[in-house]
Amino acid sequence: MPIARRALLGAGAALPLLPALPAAAHHDNERAHAQAPGFYRFTLGRFTITVVSDGQGVRADPIRGFVVNVPPEQVEQAFRQAHLPLKNLVSPFAPTVVETGTETILFDTGTGGQLVPSAGFLPRNLEASGYTLADIDRVVITHFHGDHISGLTTKEGTAVFAKAPILVPEAEWAWWMDQGNVTRTPEAQRGNFANAGRRFAPYAGRVQRLKDGEEIAPGLRAVAAYGHTPGHMAYHLADGKDQLFIMGDCANRPEIFLAHPDWHFVFDVDGPMAAETRRRLFGRAADEGARVIGHHFPFPSNGTVVREGDAFRYVPADWSSAV
C-alpha cells in the first residue's frame, strides 16, 4: 500500500475526535472548485493536434444582437431547439497546437487575459499539456479579432513569443493595417485597427504574410475564408485520407450557425460573404469526411460535420483516453 494511503488510513482513526468542519470551509477550498487543465490531444496521420483552452467569454443576451439578419423570435426558437441557454451563452476560446514532426505551430493566441476575467489561461493550459510558450516555433493567425491576437503581447505590450515568426493572412494584414479602411468597417469593430497595430508592433521583422493556398509546411495549407473578417483564413491539414480544417471563426456556436448557415453573426464584417464561406468550407468538410476545429465550438472544440437538409450538423468527436 502506498505510504500516503497508509498514513491517511492511520489518521482516520483520530478523525471522529475532531469537531466537524463548517460546510462553508469546504466551499472556500479553491481546489474543490478548480477545473482540470483544459487541453485535448489527438492524432491526424503524422500530425499531433492539441486543442488548448484559453477560457471562455459569456454573452448575457444571445437572443438579441447575436444574429443580425433574422428576428429575435426566430433566434429564440433555434436556441430552444438546440437546448442552448437563453441567457449567458458561453463562448469558448480554443487555440490549437499542431506538431508536424519537425516543428510546433500554434494557431491563434487567445485573449492574453486582457479581455474577460474568465479567459487568459492559454499559457497555464499549454504547460499542463506538455508545452511552454518557448516551445512554439511558429504562430499562425486566422484573423485579427482580439480573442485571437491579444495573447501575442502582455498588457504592457511586450512580445510573448521571443523568437517565433508570426504568420498572418495577407488580406487580413492589408485591411487592418490601413487606416483608410476604418470608415469602411462596422463601427463596433473599428477598435480592431488600434489593437492589431499594438499586438503586432513588437514583432516587427518577424511577421510573414500568407496567401490563399500557400503551403506552410508539408500537408498544411492556408485556405481563404473571407467574410467574418476581410482576410479571415482557415487552415487545412492532410496526411493521405486524413484531413482537418482549423476553421477559426467560420462559424461561432455550431448549434446555431451550422444549423442556420445563412444567418449573420454580429461580428461578421461581411455577413453574406461569411455565410457563403461557411457553406463552402463546412460543405467540403462534410463531403470529404474531414475533422474540424472551431475556435468557439464547445470544448474540446473538434469533431465532424454532416449535411442535414440544406444545412449542417456538428458531431463532436468522441473523447478518447489514448492519443
Side-chain angles (χ1 to χ4, degrees), residues 52-191:
V52 184
S53 173
D54 184 55
Q56 62 191 35
V58 176
R59 188 172 185 88
D61 183 2
I63 305 305
R64 291 162 183 80
F66 186 65
V67 180
V68 298
N69 65 327
V70 297
E73 296 78 15
Q74 196 171 342
V75 177
E76 180 175 341
Q77 182 182 13
F79 267 67
R80 291 186 184 279
Q81 289 174 341
H83 299 284
L84 288 175
L86 304 184
K87 294 184 181 297
N88 300 321
L89 178 69
V90 168
S91 178
F93 307 128
T96 299
V97 176
V98 173
E99 284 274 6
T100 68
T102 59
E103 61 181 338
T104 303
I105 303 174
L106 173 66
F107 291 82
D108 290 333
T109 66
T111 65
Q114 300 162 56
L115 302 184
V116 292
S118 53
F121 307 127
L122 175 64
R124 183 182 75 184
N125 288 334
L126 197 64
E127 186 172 354
S129 75
Y131 300 107
T132 67
L133 294 171
D135 292 327
I136 303 302
D137 296 307
R138 290 195 282 178
V139 177
V140 179
I141 301 297
T142 59
H143 65 294
F144 289 6
H145 280 164
D147 55 325
H148 295 257
I149 65 170
S150 293
L152 285 169
T153 73
T154 64
K155 292 179 182 179
E156 296 73 29
T158 303
V160 167
F161 301 93
K163 298 180 180 178
I166 312 299
L167 283 64
V168 303
E170 182 176 60
E172 188 78 347
W173 181 271
W175 185 267
W176 298 109
M177 293 299 166
D178 183 352
Q179 291 298 312
N181 291 323
V182 172
T183 58
R184 301 168 59 197
T185 301
E187 187 173 355
Q189 299 215 39
R190 292 176 185 175

Side-chain angles (χ1 to χ4, degrees), residues 132-316:
T132 67
L133 294 171
D135 292 327
I136 303 302
D137 296 307
R138 290 195 282 178
V139 177
V140 179
I141 301 297
T142 59
H143 65 294
F144 289 6
H145 280 164
D147 55 325
H148 295 257
I149 65 170
S150 293
L152 285 169
T153 73
T154 64
K155 292 179 182 179
E156 296 73 29
T158 303
V160 167
F161 301 93
K163 298 180 180 178
I166 312 299
L167 283 64
V168 303
E170 182 176 60
E172 188 78 347
W173 181 271
W175 185 267
W176 298 109
M177 293 299 166
D178 183 352
Q179 291 298 312
N181 291 323
V182 172
T183 58
R184 301 168 59 197
T185 301
E187 187 173 355
Q189 299 215 39
R190 292 176 185 175
N192 291 323
F193 287 90
N195 189 58
R198 177 188 174 202
R199 301 303 175 183
F200 290 108
Y203 295 94
R206 281 199 274 154
V207 175
Q208 301 174 8
R209 304 178 204 180
L210 295 169
K211 293 181 173 64
D212 176 30
E214 185 170 342
E215 186 177 68
I216 298 168
L220 173 58
R221 290 186 180 276
V223 179
Y226 308 147
H228 180 64
T229 61
H232 186 286
M233 195 78 79
Y235 298 94
H236 180 241
L237 285 80
D239 187 6
K241 295 182 179 179
D242 296 323
Q243 296 185 68
L244 167 72
F245 286 92
I246 298 174
M247 291 288 195
D249 284 8
C250 288
N252 193 267
R253 287 294 301 233
E255 306 94 329
I256 300 301
F257 291 99
L258 293 188
H260 306 276
D262 294 325
W263 287 8
H264 302 168
F265 180 49
V266 61
F267 292 118
D268 289 340
V269 173
D270 185 330
M273 183 180 289
E276 181 182 331
T277 290
R278 196 173 298 126
R279 284 194 173 278
R280 173 172 54 86
L281 288 186
F282 285 104
R284 180 179 168 188
D287 294 343
E288 298 178 7
R291 200 156 176 161
V292 299
I293 294 175
H295 193 74
H296 300 293
F297 286 16
F299 195 78
S301 310
N302 73 99
T304 53
V305 175
V306 296
R307 290 187 181 272
E308 198 160 75
D310 193 37
F312 306 99
R313 178 166 54 87
Y314 171 63
V315 182

